[in-house]
């Protein structure tokens, strides 16, 4: 198939470079692209051809450079599967402009806004394995469906995954418990420009929680000049604590827990400033060791750890901006 569109979609992922890999097949149906093994491992190649036909293949988690098996990928286009989502409010009325998204092959698989009838239609490869679908809207809430085994069923050889129905799937956004977060440093100074994102939500009756980290580009929000960020779509049914992740330049990436029962819609996140961890690497004769990989692994009394890497300069010096209040193991060399 010539001129088929070939894509690896990184838009919903947290790589420093989240630009997509895109190309087209040639007259013989072949395509070629290159990427670093660490970036490509476990990714899904999506192919779209004439008449909306589709195919996909997931790359292995272990990828080495010049792996000959990657030169033998073969994908066969087939007619797509149509998945329709119907998003309604608490009164059952269609909800236009709601954000919908899919988790499939454990990757974000596109996002759409509902139309004036509250519907969003996805065209998907027939054999695509869907884990979660969800929808949310400010002032209305969030709803999702999980199509995975519960954790309790993982060891049950007879258990069968819930099937994704062929008919339209209804998601009901029936209320919120808005959350306002104030992000400050250790002295209480407000921090603007910090991105904040919730992690897991869990609804009664669903076998698994919804992992929002696959959709950071959709759900994260940035603090304003007062250091405040609001989440007006947190669903009313969320009763268990929510992990909130901050991402601010120069500050440690450490979680804060929000307890809806206790915090009642208000949370203060205190971020710790990164501190320089520096040193010098020398060769046995005392001369500077240039270009040597350095890694720092930190552990403390918190659940989160720290990992950082760098390379020594021409004089053998290195600096890693590291999270404070941890004990570090620093290693030099491969």
């Amino acid at each position: 198939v010539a001129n088929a569109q070939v894509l690896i979609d990184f838009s919903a992922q947290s790589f420093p470079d989240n630009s997509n890999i895109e190309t087209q097949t040639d007259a013989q149906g072949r395509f070629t692209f290159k990427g670093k093994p660490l970036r490509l491992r476990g990714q899904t190649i999506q192919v779209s051809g004439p008449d909306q036909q589709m195919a996909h293949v997931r790359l292995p988690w272990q990828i080495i450079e010049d792996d000959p098996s990657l030169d033998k990928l073969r994908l066969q286009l087939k007619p797509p599967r149509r998945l329709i989502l119907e998003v309604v409010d608490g009164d059952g009325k269609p909800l236009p402009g709601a954000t919908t998204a899919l988790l499939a092959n454990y990757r974000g698989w596109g996002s759409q806004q509902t139309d004036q009838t509250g519907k969003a239609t996805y065209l998907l490869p027939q054999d695509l394995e869907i884990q979660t679908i969800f929808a949310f809207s400010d002032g209305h809430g969030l709803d999702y469906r999980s199509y995975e085994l519960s954790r309790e069923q993982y060891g049950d050889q007879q258990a069968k995954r819930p099937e994704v129905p062929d008919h339209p799937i209804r998601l009901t956004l029936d209320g919120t418990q808005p959350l306002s977060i104030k992000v400050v440093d250790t002295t209480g100074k407000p921090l603007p420009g910090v991105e904040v994102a919730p992690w897991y939500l869990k609804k009664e009756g669903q076998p698994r929680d919804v992992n929002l980290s696959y959709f950071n580009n959709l759900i994260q929000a940035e603090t304003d000049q007062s250091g405040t960020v609001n989440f007006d779509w947190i669903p009313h049914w969320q009763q268990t604590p929510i992990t909130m992740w901050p991402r601010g330049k120069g500050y440690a990436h450490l979680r804060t827990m929000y307890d809806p029962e206790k915090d009642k819609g208000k949370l203060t996140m205190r971020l710790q400033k990164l501190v320089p961890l520096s040193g010098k690497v020398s060769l046995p004769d005392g001369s500077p060791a240039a270009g040597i990989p350095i890694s720092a692994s930190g552990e403390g009394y918190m659940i989160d750890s720290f990992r950082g890497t760098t390379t020594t300069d021409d004089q053998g010096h290195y600096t890693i901006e590291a999270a404070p209040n941890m004990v570090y193991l620093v290693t030099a060399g491969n």
Side-chain angles (χ1 to χ4, degrees):
V1 178
N3 300 318
Q5 302 296 317
V6 182
L7 167 71
I8 297 183
D9 187 353
F10 290 93
S11 61
Q13 301 182 41
S14 57
F15 284 94
D17 175 14
N18 66 347
S19 57
N20 295 338
I21 293 176
E22 299 182 69
T23 188
Q24 285 186 323
T25 57
D26 62 17
Q28 285 74 43
R30 296 179 302 214
F31 65 90
T32 300
F33 59 77
K34 293 185 178 181
K36 295 181 179 180
L38 186 62
R39 189 168 186 244
L40 293 179
R41 65 180 187 178
Q43 298 295 333
T44 297
I45 300 175
Q46 308 173 39
V47 182
S48 301
D51 302 322
Q52 297 182 324
Q53 295 189 89
M54 308 181 79
H56 72 104
V57 64
R58 189 173 183 180
L59 297 174
W61 282 103
Q62 297 297 326
I63 292 181
I64 59 175
E65 293 186 22
D66 302 319
D67 185 343
S69 67
L70 300 183
D71 292 330
K72 300 177 182 179
L73 296 176
R74 183 176 178 85
L75 297 92
Q76 183 176 5
L77 294 175
K78 296 180 180 180
R81 172 185 183 178
R82 187 180 298 268
L83 180 69
I84 301 175
L85 306 183
E86 295 180 340
V87 182
V88 299
D89 63 16
D91 296 324
K93 296 179 180 179
L95 192 59
T99 300
T100 70
L102 306 179
L103 178 66
N105 277 10
Y106 294 99
R107 288 290 180 267
W109 198 279
S111 171
Q112 294 184 29
Q113 302 290 311
T114 54
D115 62 19
Q116 289 303 309
T117 67
K119 292 185 174 62
T121 301
Y122 290 84
L123 297 180
L124 307 170
Q126 291 183 10
D127 56 348
L128 185 68
E129 185 177 282
I130 297 174
Q131 284 80 45
T132 312
I133 61 171
F134 76 97
F136 70 97
S137 175
D138 282 349
H140 296 95
L142 180 146
D143 194 15
Y144 74 97
R145 296 292 179 272
S146 173
Y147 298 101
E148 296 186 85
L149 293 176
S150 67
R151 289 184 174 84
E152 294 76 17
Q153 292 176 306
Y154 270 2
D156 184 353
Q157 298 297 320
Q158 304 300 318
K160 294 183 179 181
R161 289 168 53 105
E163 292 186 3
V164 181
D166 291 329
H167 58 75
I169 301 170
R170 172 169 287 204
L171 299 171
T172 302
L173 312 188
D174 57 355
T176 67
Q177 49 173 334
L179 168 60
S180 180
I181 298 177
K182 184 86 168 182
V183 181
V184 300
D185 64 13
T186 52
T187 68
K189 178 184 176 182
L191 295 176
V194 176
E195 294 176 340
V196 181
W199 194 3
Y200 287 101
L201 300 177
K202 180 66 170 75
K203 184 178 183 180
E204 286 293 327
Q206 291 301 307
R208 295 292 297 271
D209 38 28
V210 55
N211 185 347
L212 297 176
S213 68
Y214 290 107
F215 303 96
N216 273 342
N217 63 320
L218 296 178
I219 54 89
Q220 70 185 6
E222 188 174 293
T223 57
D224 60 19
Q225 289 301 310
S226 69
T228 302
V229 61
N230 297 311
F231 292 92
D232 294 328
W233 51 263
I234 300 296
H236 70 92
W237 43 257
Q238 179 67 30
Q239 300 300 318
T240 55
I242 307 172
T243 301
M244 307 299 298
W245 286 106
R247 191 177 297 276
K249 186 176 182 180
Y251 290 88
H253 183 54
L254 303 174
R255 74 187 73 190
T256 299
M257 300 303 297
Y258 166 67
D259 187 340
E261 295 283 331
K262 182 182 69 175
D263 298 323
K264 305 297 184 183
K266 299 288 185 181
L267 180 68
T268 298
M269 301 180 72
R270 297 185 182 276
L271 305 192
Q272 301 181 39
K273 196 171 182 62
L274 298 175
V275 295
L277 192 159
S278 305
K280 181 179 180 180
V281 181
S282 302
L283 297 175
D285 62 3
S287 61
I292 301 298
I294 304 293
S295 65
S297 300
E299 299 284 350
Y301 289 104
M302 299 172 292
I303 188 172
D304 298 316
S305 57
F306 177 89
R307 300 288 185 273
T309 60
T310 190
T311 304
T312 57
D313 62 17
D314 292 342
Q315 301 302 313
H317 293 147
Y318 67 86
T319 298
I320 294 176
E321 296 295 324
N325 306 316
M326 293 188 182
V327 175
Y328 279 90
L329 171 67
V330 181
T331 58
N334 293 317

